[in-house]
Amino acid sequence: MSHVLVGRLMVNLPDAPNRAKILKVILAKEELSPDVDFDAIASMTDGYSGSDLKVFIMLLIVESNET
């Protein structure tokens, strides 16, 4: 049996506290400096969706591994 989603499901972009939570989940398995300020990063990423945050973090990880 297959399911088809018809139409679009619109959701609001996450606010700063929820972006901080999303960032913590995305980075849960990474070794981070104890001074990483998730709230500061969340405030700098206004307008980012959860998937935007994931891409942003992945790009940062790739860039940091290249140096």
Side-chain angles (χ1 to χ4, degrees), residues 19 23 27 36-46 53 56-57 60:
R19 286 193 306 276
L23 289 165
L27 292 166
V36 171
D37 187 344
F38 289 101
D39 293 326
I41 299 168
S43 70
M44 292 185 276
T45 53
D46 187 37
L53 291 170
F56 172 69
I57 294 300
L60 289 175

Side-chain angles (χ1 to χ4, degrees), residues 24-63:
K24 288 176 185 175
V25 170
I26 293 169
L27 292 166
K29 295 182 180 180
E30 299 295 328
E31 285 187 40
L32 303 175
S33 171
D35 64 346
V36 171
D37 187 344
F38 289 101
D39 293 326
I41 299 168
S43 70
M44 292 185 276
T45 53
D46 187 37
Y48 281 47
S49 68
S51 4
D52 293 335
L53 291 170
K54 185 170 184 175
V55 169
F56 172 69
I57 294 300
M58 294 308 194
L59 289 171
L60 289 175
I61 290 170
V62 167
E63 186 176 303

